[in-house]
Amino acid sequence: MTTLKFDMIQTVALAAAVLFLGYGIRRRIGVLDRFNIPAPVVGGFLFASVTLLLRQTGTLAFEFDTTLQAPFMVAFFTTIGLAASLELLKKGGPQVLLFWVLASLLAVLQNGVGVTIAKAMGVNPLLGLLSGSITMTGGHGTGAAFGKLMEEQYNFPGAVTVAMAAATFGLVTGGLLGGPVGTRLINRFRLKSAGGETPAMAQVAENASPDHEIDTEPVGEAPTAYRLLQMIGVILACMAIGGMFSKWLGQFVTLPAYIGAMLVAAVARNAADGTKVLHIESRTVDDLGTIALSLFLTMALMSLRLWELLDLAGPMVVILVAQGTMMGLFATYVTFRFMGRDYDAAVMAGGHCGFGLGATPNAVANMNSLVERFGVAPRAFLVLPMVGAFFIDFSNAVIITTYINLIRP
């Protein structure tokens, strides 16, 4: 069988082509847009499927130089750190902090359920983590990052493939579940909208989400070349210092490569906010982060070895069905009750299904479908997008890392 080899630049160039193929398909197939399936996932899975077909027929194989995949990943998570401003947390008030705690609790439970079922079925407990908060709360970006870690350090072949499949399942399930959960709560308790306007911060937070598509015009002034170069310099500095920090931390615990850079970036952001020495331009950082994520995800997906998924498909489906069931129960009996048992809490519960099983844009889509029918929910649109876009990645990374170090072979 002939093997077609791509060097570092050719691999990135192919990833860009596959990415825009994904955008084109996504625009033309409504169901993909409805469930907020990211363009890198659409194009990457299609390319991986073609690769599988060519391999199974003995026609052609591909070999990629993915040297730049890791730097793109670290750059993306660095931009997440640069978005984590304590000033935003203060603006959101106690409700943002409370929902962050609930979202983090869900992540703990997702990993507990995943690992327990995996062990009961006699499969690698890391499969339970990959089908837990890594992909349910974390989404495709976190899934690819930790999948790569498990392949390289824990000899778990196909971890990235499992993560991408689980994250996609979560996106679809979260999109289907949120509306019915919110509607049931509103009707059961005869809840009414208190009126008001959706806060502008909701749109800013959704645009800042790592899953927000870049083929729409974001909020904020377009960056100049100087501002763009300045933010690139900040990101690179955080990556460099964070790399040294991660290496030091790695002596004590197992960590994904991005943790140090994300923490250093968060410190840099809040130091900049406090001293006013440097203004962190949110739109520029968001744009750079989305570009890095798009290329990183596309490279990860187009090099998937789908044939490695076959042996793990059965246990993974069982775990994912359990995750969907738990999400519905958690949103109904925990999110709704703790967030106030009112109309906004019901809308937030519907949004949490999209957020806890997929991504922030899924949550916003779920909440939009509810408010279009029942009336506005300003508090829900302030709290949930802010936690999803700016804060959950930090607590989720700590939770995942703790689980890995507890169950590692």
Side-chain angles (χ1 to χ4, degrees):
M1 182 168 58
T2 303
T3 299
L4 191 58
K5 297 183 179 181
F6 290 77
D7 65 22
M8 181 176 69
I9 299 301
Q10 291 168 339
T11 299
V12 177
L14 179 61
V18 171
L19 172 62
F20 282 101
L21 174 65
Y23 277 117
I25 295 172
R26 189 178 187 268
R27 288 196 190 102
R28 288 166 175 76
I29 301 179
V31 68
L32 297 176
D33 188 59
R34 178 187 172 191
F35 290 113
N36 296 292
I37 307 298
V41 175
V42 177
F45 262 124
L46 177 61
F47 188 89
S49 300
V50 172
T51 300
L52 174 63
L53 179 62
L54 294 173
R55 181 183 184 274
Q56 295 301 97
T57 57
T59 306
L60 185 65
F62 294 93
E63 184 178 312
F64 300 111
D65 180 349
T66 57
T67 302
L68 292 176
Q69 185 174 319
F72 282 136
M73 175 191 72
V74 176
F76 160 64
F77 282 103
T78 302
T79 65
I80 293 292
L82 287 173
S85 170
L86 292 177
E87 289 297 322
L88 289 176
L89 190 59
K90 292 177 183 177
K91 288 179 182 178
Q95 283 269 304
V96 170
L97 183 60
L98 176 58
F99 185 72
W100 187 12
V101 170
L102 294 180
S104 300
L105 173 61
L106 174 65
V108 173
L109 295 176
Q110 286 174 334
N111 289 331
V113 167
V115 170
T116 301
I117 295 176
K119 288 184 175 180
M121 298 185 73
V123 297
N124 193 330
L126 293 177
L127 174 67
L129 288 183
L130 287 169
S131 303
S133 79
I134 289 178
T135 52
M136 298 296 99
T137 293
H140 287 88
T142 305
F146 277 95
K148 184 176 176 63
L149 174 75
M150 292 179 185
E151 286 185 348
E152 293 177 350
Q153 296 193 25
Y154 294 109
N155 193 30
F156 186 1
V160 175
T161 306
V162 168
M164 295 302 96
T168 303
F169 179 95
L171 275 177
V172 175
T173 304
L176 292 172
L177 189 62
V181 166
T183 300
R184 178 178 175 275
L185 289 170
I186 291 169
N187 290 334
R188 179 184 176 187
F189 295 100
R190 299 179 181 179
L191 303 172
K192 302 292 183 182
S193 168
E197 297 181 358
T198 299
M201 178 56 68
Q203 183 62 44
V204 174
E206 185 190 0
N207 287 336
S209 164
D211 300 278
H212 183 74
E213 294 291 8
I214 59 176
D215 57 345
T216 55
E217 185 65 19
V219 174
E221 184 181 351
T224 63
Y226 177 79
R227 295 294 298 165
L228 191 63
L229 184 59
Q230 189 178 53
M231 290 302 101
I232 290 174
V234 170
I235 291 169
L236 290 173
C238 291
M239 290 172 65
I241 299 170
M244 293 185 286
F245 185 46
S246 286
K247 186 176 181 180
W248 177 77
L249 282 177
Q251 300 175 80
F252 311 104
V253 292
T254 299
L255 294 167
Y258 68 79
I259 288 293
M262 188 167 73
L263 292 175
V264 169
V267 172
R269 168 60 190 264
N270 289 284
D273 288 349
T275 61
K276 309 297 182 184
V277 172
L278 175 68
H279 174 62
I280 303 296
E281 181 61 50
S282 295
R283 172 174 172 174
T284 306
V285 170
D286 296 341
D287 286 348
L288 292 171
T290 306
I291 291 168
L293 175 65
S294 298
L295 290 171
F296 156 61
L297 264 187
T298 306
M299 291 174 69
L301 283 156
M302 73 183 195
S303 57
L304 289 180
R305 299 180 293 272
L306 292 177
W307 54 91
E308 296 177 342
L309 190 61
L310 299 177
D311 293 338
L312 298 172
M316 184 177 71
V317 169
V318 172
I319 295 171
L320 292 176
V321 170
Q323 298 287 11
T325 303
M326 183 180 70
M327 181 70 256
L329 294 172
F330 189 94
T332 300
Y333 296 105
V334 180
T335 305
F336 174 65
R337 292 174 184 272
F338 278 87
M339 295 310 296
R341 293 175 60 92
D342 56 8
Y343 174 74
D344 280 80
V347 173
M348 218 175 300
H352 199 182
C353 292
F355 165 57
L357 290 177
T360 305
N362 255 30
V364 173
N366 285 351
M367 294 194 297
N368 274 332
S369 69
L370 291 169
V371 300
E372 285 172 3
R373 179 178 177 185
F374 297 106
V376 296
R379 179 160 51 88
F381 276 86
L382 173 67
V383 171
L384 192 148
M386 193 178 292
V387 172
F390 301 119
F391 301 113
I392 190 59
D393 282 306
F394 284 90
S395 52
N396 193 30
V398 172
I399 291 164
I400 295 165
T401 301
T402 302
Y403 265 94
I404 288 178
N405 284 278
L406 287 174
I407 69 170
R408 63 182 176 179

